[in-house]
Amino acid sequence: MLRRLLQLYVGLCLYGISTGMFVQANLGADPWDVFHLGVGKVFSLDIGTVMILTGALVLLLWIPIRQRPGLGTISNVIVLGLAANATIVVIPTPESLWLQSGMMVIAVILNALATGMYIGAGFGPGPRDGLMTGIHARTGWSIRGIRTTIEVTVLVIGYFLGGSVGIGTLVYALAIGPLIQVCLPWFRTESIARPVLKKEKVLS
């Protein structure tokens, strides 16, 4: 249990750090962070605060689809935003394009590792992932279709609100799925490995 808790919170902190690095690389954000940045620009809020508020609002959408949050879900709402804000304060935007590109690549890889850690800990999905799996469970629609619809929707809304879209957005969209697929098995604990595999088989 202690190992799983440590893995959960290290993973969540690293996820927030990767988000802050992505923002500071200034080459475009992932779809949800395009949305977060756009909302932050409209309401003059930092991205971490918007992440926390958005996570809480997304949890309300779990009610009609009868999803139940776990420790990882609630922790996700709070920790990611705090870690992202702290990273943005500490790490400045690099001056050269090469350094920006390097930071972006590191952020994508770190994001995949962090995702594997916190999901592999088995304390429940984050609000956004839980929304996706909950809709799938209630409707039978494909995970791929639901994920694509949600991310395209938040990306478009975020873009029109002034969020940062760029080459980093494309790199994230193409790379994050394969990277998470590689990283996730590294962090599954033995106690949850079989149920997770069984669930993935059902969702595929």
mmCIF file of all heavy atoms in Angstrom, residues 87-114:
data_model
loop_
_atom_site.group_PDB
_atom_site.id
_atom_site.type_symbol
_atom_site.label_atom_id
_atom_site.label_comp_id
_atom_site.label_asym_id
_atom_site.label_seq_id
_atom_site.Cartn_x
_atom_site.Cartn_y
_atom_site.Cartn_z
ATOM 1 N N THR A 87 6.056 24.673 -10.950
ATOM 2 C CA THR A 87 7.035 24.485 -12.027
ATOM 3 C C THR A 87 7.169 25.740 -12.873
ATOM 4 O O THR A 87 8.278 26.142 -13.249
ATOM 5 C CB THR A 87 6.616 23.301 -12.916
ATOM 6 O OG1 THR A 87 6.498 22.121 -12.108
ATOM 7 C CG2 THR A 87 7.635 23.056 -14.018
ATOM 8 N N ILE A 88 6.047 26.372 -13.184
ATOM 9 C CA ILE A 88 6.070 27.593 -14.000
ATOM 10 C C ILE A 88 6.820 28.709 -13.283
ATOM 11 O O ILE A 88 7.514 29.519 -13.910
ATOM 12 C CB ILE A 88 4.628 28.016 -14.347
ATOM 13 C CG1 ILE A 88 4.032 27.012 -15.351
ATOM 14 C CG2 ILE A 88 4.578 29.434 -14.919
ATOM 15 C CD1 ILE A 88 2.561 27.192 -15.607
ATOM 16 N N VAL A 89 6.715 28.765 -11.965
ATOM 17 C CA VAL A 89 7.436 29.777 -11.191
ATOM 18 C C VAL A 89 8.942 29.521 -11.236
ATOM 19 O O VAL A 89 9.748 30.456 -11.345
ATOM 20 C CB VAL A 89 6.943 29.783 -9.724
ATOM 21 C CG1 VAL A 89 7.853 30.643 -8.856
ATOM 22 C CG2 VAL A 89 5.512 30.294 -9.649
ATOM 23 N N VAL A 90 9.341 28.261 -11.182
ATOM 24 C CA VAL A 90 10.762 27.898 -11.072
ATOM 25 C C VAL A 90 11.463 27.872 -12.422
ATOM 26 O O VAL A 90 12.623 28.295 -12.547
ATOM 27 C CB VAL A 90 10.898 26.520 -10.383
ATOM 28 C CG1 VAL A 90 12.344 26.035 -10.427
ATOM 29 C CG2 VAL A 90 10.414 26.600 -8.945
ATOM 30 N N ILE A 91 10.787 27.374 -13.466
ATOM 31 C CA ILE A 91 11.420 27.173 -14.770
ATOM 32 C C ILE A 91 10.993 28.268 -15.745
ATOM 33 O O ILE A 91 9.803 28.380 -16.073
ATOM 34 C CB ILE A 91 11.059 25.791 -15.354
ATOM 35 C CG1 ILE A 91 11.538 24.670 -14.419
ATOM 36 C CG2 ILE A 91 11.667 25.616 -16.744
ATOM 37 C CD1 ILE A 91 11.211 23.275 -14.910
ATOM 38 N N PRO A 92 11.949 29.063 -16.254
ATOM 39 C CA PRO A 92 11.601 30.102 -17.227
ATOM 40 C C PRO A 92 11.495 29.522 -18.647
ATOM 41 O O PRO A 92 11.921 28.391 -18.891
ATOM 42 C CB PRO A 92 12.788 31.066 -17.136
ATOM 43 C CG PRO A 92 13.940 30.168 -16.781
ATOM 44 C CD PRO A 92 13.370 29.092 -15.883
ATOM 45 N N THR A 93 10.950 30.291 -19.553
ATOM 46 C CA THR A 93 10.914 29.882 -20.955
ATOM 47 C C THR A 93 12.319 29.994 -21.540
ATOM 48 O O THR A 93 12.954 31.046 -21.423
ATOM 49 C CB THR A 93 9.963 30.782 -21.760
ATOM 50 O OG1 THR A 93 8.643 30.632 -21.250
ATOM 51 C CG2 THR A 93 9.974 30.398 -23.233
ATOM 52 N N PRO A 94 12.836 28.935 -22.162
ATOM 53 C CA PRO A 94 14.180 28.999 -22.746
ATOM 54 C C PRO A 94 14.273 30.073 -23.826
ATOM 55 O O PRO A 94 13.286 30.398 -24.484
ATOM 56 C CB PRO A 94 14.354 27.592 -23.351
ATOM 57 C CG PRO A 94 13.391 26.729 -22.615
ATOM 58 C CD PRO A 94 12.227 27.605 -22.300
ATOM 59 N N GLU A 95 15.469 30.582 -24.027
ATOM 60 C CA GLU A 95 15.654 31.673 -24.982
ATOM 61 C C GLU A 95 15.792 31.185 -26.417
ATOM 62 O O GLU A 95 15.467 31.913 -27.355
ATOM 63 C CB GLU A 95 16.886 32.497 -24.594
ATOM 64 C CG GLU A 95 16.728 33.208 -23.244
ATOM 65 C CD GLU A 95 17.932 34.044 -22.907
ATOM 66 O OE1 GLU A 95 18.892 34.060 -23.709
ATOM 67 O OE2 GLU A 95 17.926 34.700 -21.845
ATOM 68 N N SER A 96 16.294 29.974 -26.613
ATOM 69 C CA SER A 96 16.498 29.480 -27.977
ATOM 70 C C SER A 96 15.446 28.437 -28.343
ATOM 71 O O SER A 96 14.886 27.753 -27.484
ATOM 72 C CB SER A 96 17.885 28.853 -28.120
ATOM 73 O OG SER A 96 17.947 27.591 -27.472
ATOM 74 N N LEU A 97 15.201 28.319 -29.645
ATOM 75 C CA LEU A 97 14.225 27.354 -30.136
ATOM 76 C C LEU A 97 14.663 25.925 -29.836
ATOM 77 O O LEU A 97 13.821 25.063 -29.531
ATOM 78 C CB LEU A 97 14.019 27.530 -31.646
ATOM 79 C CG LEU A 97 13.025 26.582 -32.318
ATOM 80 C CD1 LEU A 97 11.635 26.738 -31.710
ATOM 81 C CD2 LEU A 97 12.973 26.833 -33.826
ATOM 82 N N TRP A 98 15.979 25.669 -29.898
ATOM 83 C CA TRP A 98 16.484 24.330 -29.612
ATOM 84 C C TRP A 98 16.190 23.930 -28.167
ATOM 85 O O TRP A 98 15.769 22.800 -27.902
ATOM 86 C CB TRP A 98 17.987 24.249 -29.881
ATOM 87 C CG TRP A 98 18.323 24.250 -31.332
ATOM 88 C CD1 TRP A 98 18.893 25.272 -32.046
ATOM 89 C CD2 TRP A 98 18.091 23.191 -32.270
ATOM 90 N NE1 TRP A 98 19.030 24.920 -33.361
ATOM 91 C CE2 TRP A 98 18.553 23.645 -33.533
ATOM 92 C CE3 TRP A 98 17.540 21.920 -32.166
ATOM 93 C CZ2 TRP A 98 18.479 22.850 -34.679
ATOM 94 C CZ3 TRP A 98 17.459 21.125 -33.308
ATOM 95 C CH2 TRP A 98 17.925 21.593 -34.542
ATOM 96 N N LEU A 99 16.405 24.862 -27.240
ATOM 97 C CA LEU A 99 16.125 24.560 -25.839
ATOM 98 C C LEU A 99 14.623 24.410 -25.595
ATOM 99 O O LEU A 99 14.200 23.558 -24.806
ATOM 100 C CB LEU A 99 16.708 25.656 -24.945
ATOM 101 C CG LEU A 99 18.236 25.723 -24.853
ATOM 102 C CD1 LEU A 99 18.670 26.923 -24.029
ATOM 103 C CD2 LEU A 99 18.789 24.424 -24.266
ATOM 104 N N GLN A 100 13.826 25.224 -26.266
ATOM 105 C CA GLN A 100 12.373 25.086 -26.155
ATOM 106 C C GLN A 100 11.933 23.710 -26.646
ATOM 107 O O GLN A 100 11.098 23.046 -26.021
ATOM 108 C CB GLN A 100 11.668 26.172 -26.981
ATOM 109 C CG GLN A 100 11.725 27.560 -26.392
ATOM 110 C CD GLN A 100 11.077 28.574 -27.305
ATOM 111 O OE1 GLN A 100 11.729 29.135 -28.186
ATOM 112 N NE2 GLN A 100 9.792 28.809 -27.109
ATOM 113 N N SER A 101 12.484 23.295 -27.790
ATOM 114 C CA SER A 101 12.129 21.989 -28.366
ATOM 115 C C SER A 101 12.543 20.858 -27.440
ATOM 116 O O SER A 101 11.797 19.892 -27.251
ATOM 117 C CB SER A 101 12.786 21.820 -29.742
ATOM 118 O OG SER A 101 12.380 22.836 -30.628
ATOM 119 N N GLY A 102 13.753 20.977 -26.858
ATOM 120 C CA GLY A 102 14.213 19.951 -25.929
ATOM 121 C C GLY A 102 13.327 19.857 -24.709
ATOM 122 O O GLY A 102 12.992 18.753 -24.249
ATOM 123 N N MET A 103 12.925 21.015 -24.167
ATOM 124 C CA MET A 103 12.034 21.023 -23.016
ATOM 125 C C MET A 103 10.686 20.390 -23.358
ATOM 126 O O MET A 103 10.119 19.638 -22.570
ATOM 127 C CB MET A 103 11.820 22.444 -22.502
ATOM 128 C CG MET A 103 10.920 22.518 -21.264
ATOM 129 S SD MET A 103 10.608 24.189 -20.674
ATOM 130 C CE MET A 103 12.213 24.603 -20.010
ATOM 131 N N MET A 104 10.193 20.676 -24.558
ATOM 132 C CA MET A 104 8.917 20.109 -24.984
ATOM 133 C C MET A 104 8.997 18.587 -25.056
ATOM 134 O O MET A 104 8.102 17.882 -24.575
ATOM 135 C CB MET A 104 8.524 20.670 -26.350
ATOM 136 C CG MET A 104 7.234 20.091 -26.929
ATOM 137 S SD MET A 104 7.050 20.458 -28.690
ATOM 138 C CE MET A 104 8.370 19.449 -29.411
ATOM 139 N N VAL A 105 10.062 18.070 -25.654
ATOM 140 C CA VAL A 105 10.218 16.616 -25.791
ATOM 141 C C VAL A 105 10.312 15.961 -24.417
ATOM 142 O O VAL A 105 9.678 14.929 -24.146
ATOM 143 C CB VAL A 105 11.466 16.279 -26.640
ATOM 144 C CG1 VAL A 105 11.770 14.785 -26.587
ATOM 145 C CG2 VAL A 105 11.251 16.724 -28.080
ATOM 146 N N ILE A 106 11.105 16.555 -23.520
ATOM 147 C CA ILE A 106 11.230 16.021 -22.166
ATOM 148 C C ILE A 106 9.878 16.037 -21.465
ATOM 149 O O ILE A 106 9.517 15.090 -20.758
ATOM 150 C CB ILE A 106 12.265 16.826 -21.358
ATOM 151 C CG1 ILE A 106 13.669 16.597 -21.936
ATOM 152 C CG2 ILE A 106 12.231 16.441 -19.882
ATOM 153 C CD1 ILE A 106 14.727 17.508 -21.343
ATOM 154 N N ALA A 107 9.106 17.105 -21.675
ATOM 155 C CA ALA A 107 7.794 17.218 -21.033
ATOM 156 C C ALA A 107 6.850 16.116 -21.501
ATOM 157 O O ALA A 107 6.102 15.546 -20.698
ATOM 158 C CB ALA A 107 7.189 18.594 -21.326
ATOM 159 N N VAL A 108 6.869 15.792 -22.788
ATOM 160 C CA VAL A 108 5.994 14.737 -23.314
ATOM 161 C C VAL A 108 6.380 13.381 -22.724
ATOM 162 O O VAL A 108 5.519 12.604 -22.297
ATOM 163 C CB VAL A 108 6.057 14.685 -24.857
ATOM 164 C CG1 VAL A 108 5.269 13.488 -25.387
ATOM 165 C CG2 VAL A 108 5.499 15.968 -25.460
ATOM 166 N N ILE A 109 7.676 13.093 -22.691
ATOM 167 C CA ILE A 109 8.139 11.816 -22.135
ATOM 168 C C ILE A 109 7.813 11.730 -20.650
ATOM 169 O O ILE A 109 7.337 10.695 -20.162
ATOM 170 C CB ILE A 109 9.652 11.649 -22.379
ATOM 171 C CG1 ILE A 109 9.952 11.557 -23.880
ATOM 172 C CG2 ILE A 109 10.183 10.413 -21.648
ATOM 173 C CD1 ILE A 109 11.432 11.586 -24.219
ATOM 174 N N LEU A 110 8.068 12.809 -19.921
ATOM 175 C CA LEU A 110 7.780 12.843 -18.492
ATOM 176 C C LEU A 110 6.290 12.677 -18.232
ATOM 177 O O LEU A 110 5.872 11.998 -17.279
ATOM 178 C CB LEU A 110 8.275 14.153 -17.897
ATOM 179 C CG LEU A 110 8.179 14.308 -16.373
ATOM 180 C CD1 LEU A 110 9.004 13.231 -15.675
ATOM 181 C CD2 LEU A 110 8.646 15.700 -15.955
ATOM 182 N N ASN A 111 5.459 13.259 -19.094
ATOM 183 C CA ASN A 111 4.014 13.138 -18.969
ATOM 184 C C ASN A 111 3.577 11.682 -19.104
ATOM 185 O O ASN A 111 2.727 11.196 -18.347
ATOM 186 C CB ASN A 111 3.338 13.999 -20.031
ATOM 187 C CG ASN A 111 1.842 14.087 -19.860
ATOM 188 O OD1 ASN A 111 1.102 13.198 -20.266
ATOM 189 N ND2 ASN A 111 1.379 15.179 -19.279
ATOM 190 N N ALA A 112 4.169 10.973 -20.053
ATOM 191 C CA ALA A 112 3.827 9.566 -20.244
ATOM 192 C C ALA A 112 4.259 8.721 -19.052
ATOM 193 O O ALA A 112 3.513 7.850 -18.580
ATOM 194 C CB ALA A 112 4.479 9.046 -21.527
ATOM 195 N N LEU A 113 5.470 8.965 -18.544
ATOM 196 C CA LEU A 113 5.941 8.248 -17.356
ATOM 197 C C LEU A 113 5.029 8.520 -16.159
ATOM 198 O O LEU A 113 4.649 7.593 -15.425
ATOM 199 C CB LEU A 113 7.364 8.678 -17.022
ATOM 200 C CG LEU A 113 8.480 8.167 -17.938
ATOM 201 C CD1 LEU A 113 9.775 8.920 -17.659
ATOM 202 C CD2 LEU A 113 8.686 6.664 -17.753
ATOM 203 N N ALA A 114 4.664 9.783 -15.976
ATOM 204 C CA ALA A 114 3.808 10.154 -14.850
ATOM 205 C C ALA A 114 2.435 9.510 -14.959
ATOM 206 O O ALA A 114 1.873 9.040 -13.967
ATOM 207 C CB ALA A 114 3.670 11.679 -14.801
#
